[in-house]
Amino acid sequence: MPPQPRLAVTDGPTERAVPPRVPPQNTEPPPQAAPPGTVLPGPTARKRWNRAARASGFPLAVYGATLLLHLAMLAVMNPPGGPGVRDRLLSWDGQWFVAIARAGYSHDSAFTADGLSGGDLAFFPAYPFLVRAVHAMTGLDHRSAALVVSHLALTVALLCVHRLLLDLYGRRTARIALVLLACAQPMALVFLMAYSESLFLALASAALLAVHRRAWLTAGVLVLLAGLTRPVAVALVAALAVAVVLRLRGTGRMSWRPPAALVLASCGTPAYLVWVDRRTGRPGTWFAIQEAGWGTRWDNGATFVDFLVKTLTRGDGWVPVSTALLVLALLAGTMAAWCDEIWPPLAVYGTVIVITALGQSNFYHSKLRLLTIALVFLIPAARALARARTGTAVATLTAAALFGSWYGAYMLTTWRYAI
């Protein structure tokens, strides 16, 4: 055996030899790899909760800012001696919804010299049903329960829209779009009122998010519920159909879930229309009520085009002129979205909303409210502001939010017609 080397260590005048140090050996066995098919533990419940809290922080902040801004503007604009702010939020269609939640629907409808009886059948049941449920569970009066439903629905809508746009376009665009949606739209105040727009937006955004994540049956159920909230759920059915076709083209095969979801989604609105016909004993009752009570019928946009021509050539009131200009701006935003590589189901959903709002003969001063749920025309503006400097984006959003909240407050406190 060869001799082991020794190290010389000098310590003062003498020299001594010491053996080399041997590093300690690891006596523990190496970690064993997990067997194939083993499900490793995911994040703890606390981590998931913290992640969800961080993701919901900005949408909840937007809801809080929206609430403060709109209510403050409404309080400033509200003339003294008239209805209070709470009564304003429960006005117009809110009275119909509260009455349905309190007493149910009429059994028949008729249009007489004294007015329309049974007009409550024109309003879809999901929103008043939730109002009645909140009343039963909390003991709140029906008017307060209606506002609770609207505010909770707006919160859910902001969370879902934010999550969808985060997946599609990133954080900056998603945050800017959320501010535009809740604060800057001219009639965004309706989301805080006893109207069904906030509930429909919550269901629509959740359905689009489910479609984007391929949760087909969940999307089908959500669209069905949206169809029991507002008849414009046809826009969601069209968006779901586009997503199904894109899925088939992308994979070349189709499971049973997407077509089943499409069939399920198509049942909501027809179910309510059939129920109204059976309740009154006359086919087409809902359409007759719409035309008799609100002058609403499908006319391929002829009434709206006539309004635009007369207003932009001979109009002398600022409300019709501003309505015409704002709707034209939203139409330009919709066309820009189609040129901006927008996600096809979202583009189809928003465009069908725009077409249905402008293709009917209803009141021109309700057009901006009917368009608040479209989303599509907000995307180009949000993406443009996301590319701008932070100071420019903040200044633009502040000015837009002030204008939007003022416009809604004016239409609710000063304008003498329904919104």
Side-chain angles (χ1 to χ4, degrees):
M1 177 181 295
Q4 294 184 356
R6 307 184 71 85
L7 299 179
V9 179
T10 303
D11 185 13
T14 61
E15 186 178 76
R16 60 185 177 88
V18 297
R21 292 187 177 182
V22 179
Q25 300 295 320
N26 184 10
T27 59
E28 296 182 0
Q32 298 294 324
T38 302
V39 179
L40 298 177
T44 63
R46 176 175 296 181
K47 289 182 179 179
R48 290 195 298 268
W49 173 259
N50 291 337
R51 187 183 305 165
R54 288 194 299 270
S56 61
F58 187 81
L60 293 179
V62 170
Y63 165 75
T66 297
L67 180 64
L68 292 176
L69 178 61
H70 283 296
L71 292 186
M73 191 68 73
L74 189 59
V76 170
M77 296 289 295
N78 200 32
V85 169
R86 182 172 180 269
D87 292 331
R88 297 287 186 184
L89 296 177
L90 291 157
S91 59
W92 301 117
D93 287 359
Q95 300 178 50
W96 288 98
F97 284 120
V98 170
I100 295 168
R102 183 184 295 118
Y105 284 101
S106 302
H107 287 273
D108 200 356
S109 65
F111 189 71
T112 65
D114 297 329
L116 174 67
S117 63
D120 51 9
L121 292 168
F123 297 89
F124 276 55
Y127 180 79
F129 174 83
L130 287 178
V131 173
R132 178 178 291 187
V134 170
H135 161 73
M137 290 186 296
T138 64
L140 293 171
D141 63 272
H142 290 90
R143 288 160 59 88
S144 298
L147 295 178
V148 168
V149 170
S150 294
H151 285 242
L152 290 177
L154 176 58
T155 304
V156 173
L158 294 176
L159 290 169
C160 292
V161 171
H162 185 251
R163 183 67 261 174
L164 175 65
L165 297 184
L166 272 177
D167 292 347
L168 291 173
Y169 303 111
R171 178 178 299 177
R172 190 173 174 90
T173 298
R175 290 184 169 184
I176 292 173
L178 217 60
V179 175
L180 293 174
L181 170 67
C183 296
Q185 291 196 92
M187 289 305 300
L189 176 62
V190 75
F191 293 137
L192 302 175
M193 298 177 63
Y195 274 58
S196 61
E197 270 78 4
S198 55
L199 177 60
F200 182 86
L201 181 61
L203 293 168
S205 56
L208 290 170
L209 182 59
V211 169
H212 188 257
R213 297 187 172 187
R214 303 290 189 265
W216 298 107
L217 295 182
T218 300
V221 171
L222 290 168
V223 177
L224 185 150
L225 294 175
L228 294 173
T229 306
R230 297 187 68 83
V232 290
V234 63
L236 287 169
V237 176
L240 180 57
V242 169
V244 171
V245 171
L246 292 176
R247 179 68 172 175
L248 178 61
R249 290 178 58 186
T251 62
R253 55 186 177 83
M254 180 67 69
S255 68
W256 63 273
R257 286 183 176 83
L262 189 56
V263 172
L264 188 63
S266 304
C267 294
T269 296
Y272 179 67
L273 298 182
V274 170
W275 180 84
V276 171
D277 291 348
R278 292 178 62 86
R279 189 173 182 86
T280 60
R282 295 190 306 274
T285 299
W286 186 84
F287 298 97
I289 292 173
Q290 285 285 327
E291 186 167 359
W294 290 268
T296 299
R297 67 185 185 282
W298 182 260
D299 65 354
N300 296 314
T303 301
F304 178 70
V305 171
D306 183 65
F307 159 73
L308 280 182
V309 172
K310 290 181 178 179
T311 300
L312 297 179
T313 56
R314 302 188 300 274
D316 59 355
W318 85 266
V319 170
V321 171
S322 65
T323 299
L325 294 177
L326 287 169
V327 171
L328 287 176
L330 299 184
L331 281 173
T334 302
M335 290 185 286
W338 280 93
C339 301
D340 201 24
E341 298 180 356
I342 192 173
W343 183 47
L346 178 57
V348 169
Y349 160 76
T351 303
V352 174
I353 293 287
V354 172
I355 291 172
T356 55
L358 304 184
Q360 301 178 73
S361 61
N362 48 21
F363 304 132
Y364 75 85
H365 40 85
S366 296
K367 301 294 186 184
L368 292 173
R369 171 180 64 83
L370 297 174
L371 292 171
T372 53
I373 55 178
L375 295 176
V376 61
F377 43 72
L378 302 177
I379 305 303
R383 297 189 72 180
L385 287 174
R387 294 189 293 266
R389 294 182 177 180
T390 300
T392 301
V394 170
T396 303
L397 290 174
T398 301
L402 290 173
F403 171 76
S405 60
W406 169 82
Y407 195 98
Y410 180 92
M411 293 297 289
L412 195 57
T413 60
T414 306
W415 181 247
R416 61 186 180 277
Y417 299 115
I419 60 170

